[in-house]
Amino acid sequence: ILGLMSTVRALALSTDQSGGLLLFSGGARVDLRCWRLSVPHATTAADAAMAGVIEGSATSATSAGGSLTSTDNNNMRATLVGVWTRHVVERLMEDCRVMDLVAQPLGGGRHLLLAAFSDAFWRVLVYDEATRRFVILLESDFHKRCMLTVRLLQWGSRTLALTSATDGRVAIWDVSETARNAQTVLVTSNV
């Protein structure tokens, strides 16, 4: 997918309200975006994978508005549906990079994201499909070093975040309450 500010370091998939796919991409200069993927005749993520979406295909920009289409017989279409707002990016270091990213649907058009950043922070965010906005819910610089990898794990009714960094440690965090609160966080369109 073209149209990103710079290097893409991380990709994550989540299912949207209608059962379609959202692709979250993250990279240099805190470039965090959400793309809606559509594959004609695909009804599941497995169908989309079979059509080459997950493996990727060459794309080219078709308009300045962020709509992208595949050059591979037009079997995939990605439309930019959300980017970080300016004040969020300014809050972070300009040289900060998204190192890793995972996403999971919460229902009601909300998605929980766990992101590793090069500024030593891991952050839990919520993405709202209706407002097309990201909101930081929780952050920690526990590792005090560049973050490398993050994972979300559902363990019974608990949501766990696994984090690792260049400090050589792996940490496990219970983010269950944050995940539950993500459904009620106010996400306004004028943030």
Side-chain angles (χ1 to χ4, degrees):
I1 296 173
L2 301 174
L4 297 157
M5 275 196 284
S6 186
T7 306
V8 176
R9 262 308 274 143
L11 298 171
L13 287 172
S14 189
T15 307
D16 69 12
Q17 291 186 73
S18 63
L21 289 174
L22 294 180
L23 173 67
F24 294 94
S25 62
R29 297 192 318 220
V30 196
D31 190 14
L32 183 60
R33 298 178 183 223
C34 178
W35 307 84
R36 184 175 314 282
L37 301 179
S38 62
V39 180
H41 313 296
T43 58
T44 66
D47 290 344
M50 293 301 290
V53 172
I54 294 178
E55 294 171 5
S57 59
T59 59
S60 62
T62 58
S63 75
S67 177
L68 306 173
T69 57
S70 169
T71 57
D72 182 16
N73 296 324
N74 205 23
N75 71 345
M76 181 188 82
R77 181 174 298 263
T79 306
L80 180 64
V81 293
V83 296
W84 275 39
T85 55
R86 183 179 186 140
H87 81 279
V88 173
V89 174
E90 288 173 354
R91 182 174 156 226
L92 302 172
M93 296 169 29
E94 185 174 312
D95 188 37
C96 185
R97 295 167 305 287
V98 178
M99 301 298 288
D100 196 17
L101 184 64
V102 293
Q104 84 180 30
L106 293 171
R110 298 271 175 110
H111 303 268
L112 187 71
L113 284 85
L114 177 61
F117 288 83
S118 62
D119 67 352
F121 280 86
W122 58 269
R123 294 177 173 91
V124 177
L125 305 100
V126 64
Y127 175 76
D128 185 89
E129 290 180 45
T131 61
R132 300 178 178 186
R133 300 283 187 227
F134 296 90
V135 173
I136 297 173
L137 303 176
L138 177 69
E139 61 183 4
S140 172
D141 68 345
F142 166 81
H143 291 278
K144 305 289 188 215
R145 300 273 197 275
C146 177
M147 295 296 306
L148 295 176
T149 305
V150 291
R151 295 291 179 264
L152 281 173
L153 172 67
Q154 285 302 128
W155 190 24
S157 63
R158 297 169 73 181
T159 303
L160 302 177
L162 288 77
T163 62
S164 68
T166 58
D167 65 355
R169 296 186 290 177
V170 174
I172 302 172
W173 309 90
D174 188 340
V175 295
S176 302
E177 186 176 339
T178 302
R180 282 189 295 276
N181 292 341
Q183 286 292 15
T184 59
V185 169
L186 179 62
V187 181
T188 60
S189 59
N190 58 359
V191 173

